[in-house]
Amino acid sequence: MSVAVLSVHRGVAGEAPRRDRFEVPFEHGQSVLDGLRWVRERVDPGLAMRYACLNANACKECMLLVDGKVAYSCTVRLEAREMRLDPLPNKPLLRDLVTSIAPPDERPPEPAAG
Amino acid sequence: MTASIPSGRPDAALLRADVLVIGAGGAGLYAAIEAARRGADVLLLDRSLVGRGGATVMAQMTVAAALGSETEDDPAHHLRDTLAAGRDLCDPRLARLLCEDGVEVIREMDAWKAGWARHGDGRIRQVQAPGHDRPRCVYVDFLSTGPAVSRALRTQAQRQGGIRRMGEVLVTDLVLSDGRVQGAVALDLAHGVPLRIAAGATIIATGGLTRLYRRNSASANMAGDGYALALRAGATLIDMEFVQFFPIGHLAPRMIGMDPIMWDPFRYKLGGRLLNGAMEEFTDRYGAPDGGRYVVTRDLATYAITREVAAGRGSPSGGAWLSFQHVPEAVLRENFGPVIDRLAANGIDLTQTAVEVAPIAHYHMGGIRVDPAMHTGIPGLLAAGEAVGGANGANRLSGNAITEALAFGRVAGREAAAIAARDGTGWNDAAARDALALAGGTGPARPGGNTAALFHRLQAVMADDVGPFRTAAGLARAARRLDDLATELGEAPAGAPLPHDLARADWFDLRAGLQVAQAVVLAATARTESRGAHQREDHPGLDAAWTHNQTVALERGCLCLASQPVAEAA
Ligand SMILES: Cc1cc2nc3c(=O)[nH]c(=O)nc-3n(C[C@H](O)[C@H](O)[C@H](O)COP(=O)(O)OP(=O)(O)OC[C@H]3O[C@@H](n4cnc5c(N)ncnc54)[C@H](O)[C@@H]3O)c2cc1C
Ligand code: FES
């Protein structure tokens, strides 16, 4: 069993970003998404991330930055080193690793202020 | 019509539509298009992104319809096969609708540029899948059926006009007033705020429940939401004991970027050999010779593999081997082109090694009871797609599910538009108050509570004791464990809602999933025989006395089981 260290961007838009480091045990062949799901189940269920299809690479929802490069978390393998995970830089941040990626006309209405 | 809104929260936005469609898979998208085409103003919601969140986009295989483009075919032949597979429990009216309307929707999808694979002379290609008496299944190369179906429907929904599409909206409750569904309450996941939705007619198109099992082919959004929404609104579920396991789900070695059901198309095209741990063919021992041709239906193959593993003759990881080693590389490439490269990236060379496969939860035959117009019996509430039970009885043929989603979606869209035009839209805020408080309110903090871990335990309960093979003792244990989990879940989600709050979404998934799991256990416990996808180790063999359907409804907070005769053909 190897260990990856996931360094994860935390926080909502407008907030000073923080980073959390999670040590994640893994077996060869597992994906970064597997690692993030392990974090939710074992450490912090409040971590915000986006995914739907898990394995099929069909939903294309799990896109984020891995070590600064755009990637699908379900197709990048975990490695026994520190991996830096960030939300997509060119989309509005919702929280942690999640950005607004739906086409603008398919988003819920902006809540009224107040 | 005045109501107080959950304390401390601003007024939840109120959206209005003639027709509300919950879930934007094949059924929901088709329903939205059809309702809009008939003049309705439609709101199409999905908890995930539109057209991406459910089973439809993940389907890689085939879609069954009696087009007759390879050999002569007729919906009557398709119907005969569907009823036979359903082991005498299909609602023949729904099965007939699937087979007859299926032809029309598959042709319409062709006009909408789904891109069905074709012969050089322009004829649509159809392959033969297990349980079908002739080549009947269309597909899109390579392994692209679902993405192509989803894309064509999404494009058509955009083009149609009159459809407001919205992702990241988790519908948490239906709102009933005077016995009629008048819309829903939802959690806007993007912002973490509740929404009110008023609609003249509401269609549940939320797909199935297979995420309730540990090993599954599901997306994160398939935990039976729609069944629970329907139950709480007073509708009836049918055939809940029949969960289909896909026999040859990928087991080992670990792959990424590949769907676990991907071996099915390989078998359609190339046969392949299913072997036990000793590299022997074995399905013939269970009365179902396979002979490298892929003819064994899903329930029988699942039975054979599970039995072989139990007898100590499984593959190293606890499944069976699937081998294409006899197929030349050139033939593999010709049939699966880029997929062969993706396998290579995972270190798999099919000419050299076999892979391990085992049954995984894949589809739910049961679901919301509807009539052939997709009415649930609750005024204003319809259902479509995998959310509906009855068309496939005790076992579904491959290729029937997408056809079902599209055909039933179309009917539901048509009916919902008519209902909304006739009855109009109303909204009673008082009826929505509790649901709004739950979706948007601040619950007691639960330090150390982990909703994701709780869901994992739910999956373990279902996998351990409510899989393809069941016993009275195992089902009783499952019922107890589910009750314990329900107690642990508590009465409301913890804390205040946040943007993209998965823990809050988990709470709603658990509320729905636990209730739906209880419905499966209840029906499976009562059915003391083995039929199709429901196999009782303590009651082997089909019992003709059990040729009737079971239903589950919620009465004064308790799940009630009843039975009803199988519907007569129309
Ligand atoms: C991996 C895989 C492969 C398959 N391959 C085939 C095949 O080749 N041929 C075939 O015929 N069948 C296949 N099936 C089955 C078939 O794909 C499904 O039965 C069918 O697509 C279901 O369509 P649907 O529209 O009813 O549901 P789905 O496509 O599952 O859509 C339901 C939608 O509802 C949304 N939703 C759920 N709950 C809520 C809520 N509370 N609020 C808002 N939105 C919600 C989900 O996010 C989802 O997008 C496959 C299934 C899987 C899982
Ligand atoms: S989770 Fe669906 S593409 Fe990555």
Side-chain angles (χ1 to χ4, degrees):
Chain A
M1 182 78 60
S2 317
V3 175
V5 177
L6 298 182
S7 162
V8 180
H9 172 279
R10 304 300 299 264
V12 297
E15 200 176 76
R18 299 176 282 119
R19 299 200 80 78
D20 275 340
R21 294 173 86 254
F22 299 104
E23 287 193 9
V24 178
F26 72 99
E27 278 168 28
H28 178 72
Q30 287 190 289
S31 65
V32 167
L33 178 60
D34 292 332
L36 288 169
R37 290 173 64 220
W38 184 93
V39 169
R40 284 205 65 238
E41 267 170 34
R42 303 302 178 91
V43 190
D44 183 0
L47 174 64
M49 61 197 202
R50 195 197 281 279
Y51 66 96
C53 72
L54 296 165
N55 285 305
N57 194 217
C59 72
K60 313 294 183 192
E61 293 200 21
C62 63
M63 218 189 260
L64 42 59
L65 294 186
V66 179
D67 298 324
K69 287 203 215 82
V70 176
Y72 296 112
S73 69
C74 69
T75 62
V76 178
R77 284 173 201 278
L78 278 174
E79 290 173 28
R81 62 177 178 87
E82 175 156 326
M83 303 181 83
R84 193 183 161 88
L85 308 181
D86 288 281
L88 293 174
N90 54 349
K91 305 274 181 195
L93 177 66
L94 292 175
R95 192 162 67 90
D96 296 348
L97 296 172
V98 179
T99 51
S100 230
I101 56 171
D105 63 344
E106 295 188 353
R107 294 178 191 169
E110 284 302 320
Chain B
M1 298 263 288
T2 55
S4 64
I5 298 301
S7 54
R9 294 210 64 83
D11 223 351
L14 176 63
L15 309 176
R16 281 181 185 277
D18 299 329
V19 172
L20 165 64
V21 182
I22 309 171
L29 278 159
Y30 219 118
I33 293 167
E34 185 63 27
R37 190 145 70 171
R38 289 170 184 267
D41 178 24
V42 179
L43 177 61
L44 172 64
L45 300 181
D46 201 285
R47 57 181 293 169
S48 198
L49 301 183
V50 172
R52 311 269 197 92
T56 303
V57 73
M58 293 164 72
Q60 300 185 336
M61 306 183 268
T62 63
V63 184
L67 303 181
S69 71
E70 297 286 343
T71 51
E72 180 277 330
D73 200 357
D74 188 278
H77 303 320
H78 186 186
L79 178 60
R80 193 177 53 225
D81 290 345
T82 299
L83 296 177
R87 308 275 191 278
D88 297 326
L89 289 193
C90 297
D91 180 332
R93 303 164 307 166
L94 296 180
R96 191 167 133 203
L97 185 70
L98 188 164
C99 298
E100 289 181 352
D101 284 26
V103 175
E104 291 168 28
V105 292
I106 295 312
R107 291 207 188 284
E108 187 157 55
M109 288 298 296
D110 193 45
W112 291 342
K113 302 204 166 37
W116 306 128
R118 286 187 135 79
H119 291 285
D121 62 5
R123 274 177 310 126
I124 293 175
R125 285 182 191 265
Q126 294 189 280
V127 291
Q128 186 158 3
H132 291 279
D133 71 348
R134 66 197 75 202
R136 182 175 290 139
C137 297
V138 305
Y139 60 93
V140 180
D141 271 323
F142 292 96
L143 309 192
S144 295
T145 300
V149 164
S150 252
R151 190 177 339 107
L153 285 168
R154 265 183 65 95
T155 307
Q156 188 58 30
Q158 270 160 13
R159 203 177 287 149
Q160 171 60 45
I163 305 172
R164 184 168 182 194
R165 305 171 310 279
M166 204 180 285
E168 308 184 278
V169 177
L170 172 71
V171 172
T172 53
D173 276 293
L174 299 175
V175 176
L176 273 107
S177 185
D178 296 329
R180 180 188 178 84
V181 170
Q182 54 166 9
V185 163
L187 175 61
D188 161 357
L189 291 170
H191 303 98
V193 298
L195 293 173
R196 301 174 295 164
I197 301 143
T202 298
I203 302 173
I204 298 179
T206 48
L209 56 59
T210 44
R211 189 190 158 215
L212 297 180
Y213 288 85
R214 190 163 42 209
R215 267 173 53 73
N216 63 58
S217 63
S219 79
N221 305 310
M222 292 158 62
D225 288 17
Y227 307 132
L229 288 171
L231 272 179
R232 291 200 307 275
T236 300
L237 308 183
I238 188 166
D239 293 342
M240 291 303 284
E241 63 271 43
F242 296 106
V243 180
Q244 180 168 67
F245 279 71
F246 175 74
I248 53 168
H250 184 77
L251 180 62
R254 181 78 172 85
M255 298 192 298
I256 58 176
M258 310 288 283
D259 196 88
I261 50 93
M262 63 167 289
W263 297 117
D264 203 56
F266 275 76
R267 296 217 70 196
Y268 286 136
K269 286 191 178 176
L270 306 174
R273 298 174 67 211
L274 199 56
L275 307 167
N276 68 9
M279 292 293 175
E280 306 156 343
E281 290 187 0
F282 61 92
T283 56
D284 51 326
R285 292 180 194 161
Y286 306 93
D290 191 44
R293 285 189 309 118
Y294 202 27
V295 290
V296 182
T297 53
R298 289 180 174 171
D299 49 354
L300 284 172
T302 295
Y303 182 73
I305 294 173
T306 312
R307 279 275 159 253
E308 205 65 5
V309 172
R313 293 191 295 266
S315 63
S317 307
W321 292 105
L322 179 61
S323 169
F324 297 93
Q325 282 159 281
H326 56 291
V327 181
E329 159 101 35
V331 176
L332 287 169
R333 284 225 163 258
E334 181 193 323
N335 282 282
F336 290 101
V339 183
I340 302 301
D341 297 321
R342 271 153 59 198
L343 284 168
N346 278 288
I348 296 173
D349 176 353
L350 292 179
T351 63
Q352 299 300 318
T353 45
V355 294
E356 290 181 68
V357 295
I360 55 176
H362 184 54
Y363 173 85
H364 188 40
M365 269 73 74
I368 302 165
R369 187 179 70 183
V370 295
D371 67 14
M374 301 298 133
H375 293 263
T376 62
I378 305 296
L381 185 64
L382 303 93
E386 193 171 333
V388 161
N392 297 289
N395 182 44
R396 169 183 69 99
L397 287 183
S398 28
N400 266 8
I402 293 185
T403 315
E404 167 187 66
L406 303 177
F408 290 12
R410 189 173 70 153
V411 172
R414 179 189 74 209
E415 295 291 317
I419 292 171
R422 189 190 66 206
D423 298 348
T425 307
W427 183 255
N428 172 0
D429 238 340
R433 187 164 40 213
D434 291 350
L436 274 171
L438 214 48
T442 299
R446 227 171 274 124
N450 186 325
T451 49
L454 213 54
F455 202 93
H456 202 82
R457 285 163 56 202
L458 165 57
Q459 292 175 315
V461 173
M462 295 303 278
D464 292 348
D465 285 320
V466 201
F469 299 94
R470 299 148 178 191
T471 61
L475 290 164
R477 180 166 50 226
R480 278 194 308 276
R481 291 170 74 193
L482 291 174
D483 285 346
D484 292 346
L485 289 175
T487 309
E488 234 177 284
L489 178 65
E491 297 294 315
L498 297 167
H500 209 85
D501 194 339
L502 290 185
R504 182 162 281 248
D506 283 340
W507 188 89
F508 286 103
D509 288 356
L510 280 158
R511 179 180 64 157
L514 283 166
Q515 192 162 56
V516 170
Q518 281 164 335
V520 175
V521 170
L522 193 62
T525 304
R527 184 173 286 278
T528 46
E529 65 148 356
S530 294
R531 185 186 295 253
H534 169 75
Q535 295 289 324
R536 285 286 297 261
E537 291 186 68
D538 47 357
H539 295 279
L542 189 143
D543 176 356
W546 265 107
T547 309
H548 51 79
N549 304 101
Q550 297 192 97
T551 61
V552 179
L554 195 61
E555 281 164 31
R556 284 182 294 282
C558 289
L559 291 174
C560 281
L561 188 71
S563 68
Q564 65 176 46
V566 176
E568 301 276 332

